[in-house]
Amino acid sequence: MKIVQIIIGLGVGGAEHMLRRLVLAQQVAEPARQCTVISLTSIGPVGKLLQEAGIPVIAMGLHAPWGFFTGLWRLKKTLEALKPDVVQTWMVQADLLGGLAARWAGIRGVIWGIRTTDFGGASRLTRVVRRVCAVLSSWVPHTIVCAAEASRRSHVAIGYDDARMVVIPNGFDIQRFCPDADKKKTLRAQLGIRPQDHVIGHVGRWNLAKDHLNFVHAAARWAAQNDITHVRFLMVGREVDASNDDLAQAIAESGCAGQFMLLGERSDVPDLLQAMDLFCLSSRTEGFPNVVGEAMATGVPCVVTDVGDAAMMVGSTGWVVPKEDAEALSAALALATQESRIEREKRAALARMRVVQEFSMERATLRFTQLQQWVAEKTQAGVERCVD
């Protein structure tokens, strides 16, 4: 089979890394499968990683909305030259441009990719593109893949064709994300964390959707009622550092400023997860939060807000609280730290087992591979609708 993957860009992000993991996993599983990745903008760091692994990457260099028609024509000509059996697109702009170019080039095997759940933070242009995609969803794509059940529901609500939708959750590298007691001990020592400290981690770039202040306010409520000198709050992410005035002020007013450790953006998040005893997702909106799966695979139980598919991911292995409710989040964090060592170890093992059984990269790769094969067969047979 020949597959072309189209994405808006190949910078550092959840969709970009999922695409990379999928392509590389399929390359190992089926060396004869030919895959080309097209970035509508630039190569980016993820594109360079793909190239280093021997995957052809084409950068279209499109950066302005008014270049849409020129880009559409160039993309059509590129697809005509590549002659793929299936074109798979990632995120709404690539869905529109890649889907139209593929159909114009006579390629019926189009798979759209939806990852967003909440539309509140989207630009006006993105909202317009999404509405156009909703109208075209009954004709352009053969199948629409959602990364989360919550994403499917939100897009059906604005007019996407539900009959063409399937849900394939992200897959996690269970070899890369796995418990390592020696690494945990070493990292905690390097960070100046005492053996008796209970480390609660928070990972995510500074963004309203991630609701970092909910996490800080929960810590403040907890500290106001209890002695939490044995607890450390480890926060990681772009702009999550002392130079962030809003975050620094909230922490200074929390009553437990000395318990916070702000590491900013780091490239060693898989290692930093090892240092945590508990992970907290405090977001007000999510789709399929990768970091929760990564923490669980590392054997770190999670306290999550009930957003996107977070509750489904955690299942009975962690704690789920309403979003934007610092009081409930504080209570859950306190409850989690009160468990005995044996209870914590059992919960950690269950969290990892859930990821291994339900959300491994192997399982996700198999589902995508089967879908691509199925779409190729159906479109070659003239079946234009997702009917199975």
Side-chain angles (χ1 to χ4, degrees):
M1 285 185 65
K2 290 184 179 181
I3 307 292
V4 169
Q5 303 277 1
I6 302 177
I7 191 167
I8 190 71
L10 287 167
V12 177
E16 295 83 353
H17 280 303
M18 180 59 195
L19 182 154
R20 178 182 63 85
R21 291 196 299 268
L22 173 62
V23 169
L24 296 183
Q26 289 183 323
Q27 183 186 48
V28 171
E30 297 185 49
R33 176 180 292 257
Q34 299 178 41
C35 179
T36 301
V37 176
I38 296 178
S39 167
L40 297 180
T41 53
S42 59
I43 294 290
V46 174
K48 291 178 181 177
L49 291 174
L50 286 167
Q51 288 179 324
E52 291 170 2
I55 304 297
V57 179
I58 299 171
M60 302 296 293
L62 307 178
H63 293 286
W66 50 85
F68 176 85
F69 293 105
T70 301
L72 183 63
W73 171 257
R74 288 173 54 202
L75 187 56
K76 168 189 177 285
K77 301 302 289 184
T78 301
L79 293 175
E80 286 177 338
L82 292 171
K83 295 182 173 61
D85 298 291
V86 171
V87 170
Q88 183 171 344
T89 60
W90 298 70
M91 298 185 292
V92 64
Q93 294 90 346
D95 290 344
L96 179 60
L97 193 62
L100 288 176
R103 294 306 299 259
W104 193 8
I107 301 163
R108 295 180 296 173
V110 177
I111 301 174
W112 275 3
I114 290 176
R115 307 184 64 81
T116 305
T117 298
D118 181 76
F119 310 140
S123 67
R124 183 175 181 275
L125 177 61
T126 298
R127 293 197 298 271
V128 170
V129 171
R130 186 174 287 115
R131 291 290 181 179
V132 172
C133 283
V135 174
L136 297 177
S137 64
S138 296
W139 172 71
V140 172
H142 181 277
T143 304
I144 305 171
V145 175
C146 303
E149 178 61 30
S151 299
R152 186 196 66 78
R153 291 195 302 269
S154 65
H155 282 75
V156 169
I158 64 168
Y160 273 71
D161 187 350
D162 192 20
R164 295 177 186 264
M165 289 182 151
V166 297
V167 177
I168 301 181
N170 287 348
F172 300 99
D173 186 339
I174 57 176
Q175 278 73 48
R176 185 185 184 200
F177 293 94
C178 63
D180 188 326
D182 292 335
K183 186 174 288 186
K184 183 183 186 78
K185 184 177 179 181
T186 300
L187 277 168
R188 288 168 70 104
Q190 292 174 350
L191 293 170
I193 297 170
R194 301 171 302 180
Q196 67 270 27
D197 285 340
H198 199 107
V199 179
I200 300 176
H202 187 286
V203 177
R205 71 190 188 284
W206 178 255
N207 185 283
L208 286 175
K210 303 301 180 184
D211 206 356
H212 293 74
L213 297 186
N214 185 29
F215 181 62
V216 177
H217 294 156
R221 289 174 181 270
W222 189 7
Q225 302 172 16
N226 301 273
D227 175 13
I228 61 168
T229 54
H230 64 293
V231 177
R232 304 298 298 275
F233 301 104
L234 182 65
M235 300 185 72
V236 184
R238 190 185 314 148
E239 297 184 48
V240 183
D241 52 39
S243 65
N244 185 321
D245 293 337
D246 292 335
L247 179 60
Q249 181 178 348
I251 290 175
E253 296 171 352
S254 69
C256 55
Q259 311 308 115
F260 280 88
M261 302 177 66
L262 306 183
L263 301 188
E265 187 171 18
R266 298 279 293 246
S267 60
D268 58 344
V269 171
D271 290 339
L272 291 172
L273 289 172
Q274 301 283 353
M276 302 174 188
D277 298 299
L278 186 70
F279 181 83
C280 179
L281 182 85
S282 61
S283 301
R284 56 168 55 95
T285 179
E286 288 282 352
F288 187 90
N290 285 334
V291 69
V292 171
E294 292 168 353
M296 292 171 65
T298 309
V300 181
C302 300
V303 174
V304 301
T305 47
D306 191 6
V307 291
D309 277 12
M312 180 276 293
M313 294 175 70
V314 169
S316 61
T317 72
W319 297 262
V320 181
V321 302
K323 65 178 181 179
E324 301 177 89
D325 188 338
E327 186 69 39
L329 185 59
S330 174
L333 294 175
L335 182 64
T337 58
Q338 291 168 6
E339 290 195 323
S340 68
R341 180 180 61 82
I342 293 176
E343 289 173 326
R344 288 200 302 270
E345 290 176 353
K346 180 180 179 181
R347 192 180 291 275
L350 289 173
R352 175 168 172 78
M353 185 184 303
R354 180 163 174 77
V355 173
V356 170
Q357 293 178 344
E358 301 293 335
F359 308 117
S360 70
M361 193 61 223
E362 289 78 7
R363 179 165 182 172
T365 300
L366 177 61
R367 295 182 70 184
F368 271 112
T369 300
Q370 290 175 335
L371 176 64
Q372 291 165 352
Q373 184 68 41
W374 180 81
V375 168
E377 292 172 356
K378 290 293 183 182
T379 52
Q380 288 168 10
V383 180
E384 291 278 358
R385 190 171 181 82
C386 179
V387 293
D388 289 6

